[in-house]
């Protein structure tokens, strides 16, 4: 267990006089390196160190986790000066998060912790029944991973816990990539029932934690459009919208993805649903496959494109928006008249207005007209922190093609 340190023993970091202390007091969870007095002592703090944050007048603002190797130098952990950051604190945070999820879902398959929005900055925890996967995407969480796992075992009844230390966020924190089983054992893909569909989550070898829970409400909306329709799901991962569509009464569904292991899991899910005869896969580049389908003169009642983040950061925004426009243009021509086009973005750098504009431009360039009938976001197990736009990353737009 990590040694407990009292407030009096914590190192202190201080805002520069021109820094916006008011934003911190009003809930902003991050302090950037150019907002702090970064002397030799401050720069020498080990990544993951817990510290006191003070304003320029030496007034306490909060207990923070610091990483001198990151642009986000400090992440807010606790605003109550009397509270100590320890295992008991972690248990309390996890129980608060768990209470919300158990109100939402009757079975334990959900995102249990959504980082800053659940008061655990940089920490993502997805639950798959008796298994939980922790993504410690900040240096403090990496340093306290044993405490987080132990607290998770106390707060829930999970029997296996996996640390998934992969992804872009960890590289920005200067953390290595590794996936480790911290508790129990994983014997294979885990079946997850969601919106009547069965998904197979590869906890150890899949993308991120093995399955994306964030699209659950958007899957449910699209299910209302697919009865007796042919459905095309591009960037499908392990079945995504395609399996949800089959559960909603679609005539057939095709999953397109560049990953054969992901498509294999999608096929396992379809067979578990007894929908194998109406489900097909096409492995390949999404853009090449859409071009081929146009050449084949294929049309679908519903087409879904749920690509990876084309604009993961502000420097990538312009290029990312062009990619979203291209997706909209190429997918538009595959939709039957009166059919539906579903376009999604998980890029937090591309806000809703920018993403919607790119989609509309792409549809127009394809020579199609459309009605926007639905705008969706992540489910309620992915809460939005109002002071942090990045926590509201997912957008889903549904157009009816005229």
């Amino acid at each position: 267990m990590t040694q407990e340190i009292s407030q009096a023993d914590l190192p202190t970091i201080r805002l520069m006089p021109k820094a916006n202390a008011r934003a911190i007091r009003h809930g902003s969870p991050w302090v950037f390196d150019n907002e702090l007095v970064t002397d030799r002592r401050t720069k020498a703090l080990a990544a993951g160190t817990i510290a006191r944050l003070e304003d320029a007048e030496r007034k306490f603002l909060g207990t923070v986790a610091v990483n001198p190797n990151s642009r986000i130098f400090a992440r807010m952990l606790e605003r109550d000066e009397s509270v100590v950051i320890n295992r008991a604190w972690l248990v309390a945070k996890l129980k608060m998060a768990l209470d919300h999820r158990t109100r939402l879902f009757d079975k334990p398959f959900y995102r249990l912790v959504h980082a800053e929005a659940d008061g655990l900055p940089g920490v993502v925890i997805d639950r798959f029944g008796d298994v939980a996967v922790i993504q410690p995407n900040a240096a403090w969480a990496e340093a306290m991973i044993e405490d987080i796992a132990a607290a998770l075992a106390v707060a829930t009844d999970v029997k296996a816990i996996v640390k998934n230390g992969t992804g872009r966020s960890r590289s920005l924190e200067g953390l290595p990539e590794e996936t480790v089983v911290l508790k129990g054992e994983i014997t294979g893909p885990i079946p997850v029932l969601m919106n009547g569909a069965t998904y197979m989550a590869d906890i150890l070898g899949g993308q991120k934690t093995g399955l994306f829970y964030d699209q659950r409400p958007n899957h449910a909306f699209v299910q209302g459009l697919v009865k007796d329709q042919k459905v095309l799901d591009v960037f499908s991962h392990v079945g995504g919208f395609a399996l949800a569509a089959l559960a909603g009464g679609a005539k057939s569904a095709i999953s397109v993805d560049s990953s054969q292991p992901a498509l294999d899991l999608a096929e396992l899910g379809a067979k578990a649903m007894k929908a194998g005869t109406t489900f097909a896969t096409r492995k390949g580049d999404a853009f090449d496959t859409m071009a081929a389908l146009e050449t084949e003169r294929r049309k679908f009642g519903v087409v879904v494109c749920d690509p990876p983040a084309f604009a993961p950061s502000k420097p990538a925004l312009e290029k990312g928006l062009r990619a979203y426009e291209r997706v909209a243009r190429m997918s538009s021509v595959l939709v039957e008249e009166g059919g539906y086009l579903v376009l999604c973005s998980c890029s937090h750098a591309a806000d809703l207005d920018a993403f919607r504009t790119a989609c509309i431009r792409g549809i127009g360039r394809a020579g199609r007209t459309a009605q926007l009938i639905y705008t969706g976001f992540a489910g309620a197990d992915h809460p939005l922190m109002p002071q942090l736009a990045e926590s509201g990353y997912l957008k889903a737009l549904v157009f009816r093609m005229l």
Side-chain angles (χ1 to χ4, degrees):
M1 178 175 176
T2 303
Q3 183 179 1
E4 293 186 18
I5 302 175
S6 68
Q7 279 285 346
D9 295 326
L10 293 178
T12 298
I13 61 173
R14 191 166 294 117
L15 291 181
M16 297 178 67
K18 293 184 179 180
N20 190 358
R22 180 180 296 179
I24 301 296
R25 289 194 178 94
H26 290 178
S28 180
W30 293 348
V31 183
F32 292 94
D33 53 3
N34 61 356
E35 298 178 293
L36 291 164
V37 178
T38 50
D39 53 21
R40 183 181 302 175
R41 177 193 59 83
T42 304
K43 291 179 180 179
L45 292 172
T49 296
I50 308 301
R52 287 171 56 88
L53 175 66
E54 296 180 349
D55 64 16
E57 284 74 43
R58 300 179 184 267
K59 293 179 181 177
F60 177 81
L61 290 174
T63 303
V64 295
V66 304
N67 185 354
N69 305 318
S70 172
R71 274 229 57 214
I72 305 172
F73 196 107
R75 298 172 185 264
M76 183 64 67
L77 296 177
E78 181 59 57
R79 298 175 186 276
D80 184 340
E81 191 171 4
S82 67
V83 172
V84 177
I85 306 302
N86 56 19
R87 190 173 293 182
W89 177 84
L90 288 166
V91 170
K93 290 287 186 183
L94 290 167
K95 285 185 175 179
M96 179 67 76
L98 180 63
D99 177 70
H100 172 57
R101 276 70 180 185
T102 54
R103 293 169 189 259
L104 294 173
F105 306 109
D106 59 356
K107 294 182 179 179
F109 295 89
Y110 42 67
R111 172 149 295 182
L112 175 59
V113 170
H114 193 50
E116 279 79 357
D118 279 301
L120 293 172
V123 178
V124 168
I125 303 177
D126 282 348
R127 184 172 182 182
F128 304 91
D130 292 336
V131 178
V133 181
I134 305 171
Q135 285 188 296
N137 295 327
W140 79 272
E142 180 73 16
M144 294 186 68
I145 186 63
E146 292 183 7
D147 288 290
I148 295 172
L152 184 59
V154 170
T156 70
D157 57 357
V158 296
K159 295 178 174 59
I161 299 175
V162 174
K163 168 192 166 183
N164 183 309
T166 63
R168 178 176 177 272
S169 296
R170 283 180 64 87
S171 65
L172 294 175
E173 286 279 297
L175 300 173
E177 291 205 356
E178 63 174 359
T179 297
V180 181
V181 179
L182 301 175
K183 174 184 170 66
E185 62 178 355
I186 308 297
T187 58
I190 298 173
V192 177
L193 187 65
M194 188 161 59
N195 290 323
T198 301
Y199 299 92
M200 305 303 290
D202 183 358
I203 301 301
L204 297 179
Q207 293 183 34
K208 298 294 181 69
T209 61
L211 188 69
F212 300 107
Y213 283 125
D214 51 4
Q215 289 280 20
R216 185 177 346 217
N218 303 319
H219 287 167
F221 179 83
V222 172
Q223 282 181 320
L225 307 175
V226 300
K227 187 172 176 58
D228 298 327
Q229 299 297 309
K230 296 178 181 178
V231 176
L232 175 68
D233 183 12
V234 186
F235 307 99
S236 180
H237 190 222
V238 297
F241 282 88
L243 296 184
L246 291 175
K251 182 178 181 180
S252 65
I254 298 174
S255 279
V256 176
D257 204 273
S258 61
S259 168
Q260 188 60 53
L263 293 176
D264 290 343
L265 289 169
E267 289 184 338
L268 285 176
K271 289 177 181 176
M273 296 166 56
K274 302 188 185 310
T277 58
T278 55
F279 179 70
T281 65
R282 285 182 71 147
K283 179 182 180 297
D285 174 80
F287 296 104
D288 291 345
T289 302
M290 286 191 287
L293 288 168
E294 182 182 4
T295 300
E296 296 166 18
R297 299 182 180 276
R298 298 288 297 275
K299 295 283 186 178
F300 301 86
V302 178
V303 174
V304 182
C305 292
D306 184 15
F310 287 145
S313 62
K314 288 184 179 179
L317 178 59
E318 185 176 346
K319 182 179 179 181
L321 290 174
R322 288 198 301 270
Y324 287 124
E325 180 181 329
R326 185 184 178 200
V327 167
R329 176 176 58 81
M330 296 187 71
S331 58
S332 293
V333 298
L334 301 175
V335 184
E336 296 173 350
E337 183 175 326
Y340 298 89
L341 176 62
V342 184
L343 299 173
C344 307
S345 166
C346 58
S347 298
H348 67 76
D351 65 19
L352 177 60
D353 287 343
F355 173 60
R356 184 171 51 214
T357 298
C359 292
I360 293 170
R361 186 182 294 121
I363 291 170
R365 287 185 60 196
R368 301 295 301 267
T369 58
Q371 303 165 317
L372 178 60
I373 65 164
Y374 172 84
T375 301
F377 305 96
D381 54 340
H382 293 63
L384 170 67
M385 185 179 193
Q387 300 89 347
L388 188 66
E390 287 84 349
S391 61
Y393 62 95
L394 182 66
K395 288 81 63 178
L397 304 176
V398 180
F399 296 90
R400 183 165 184 258
M401 306 303 293
L402 306 177

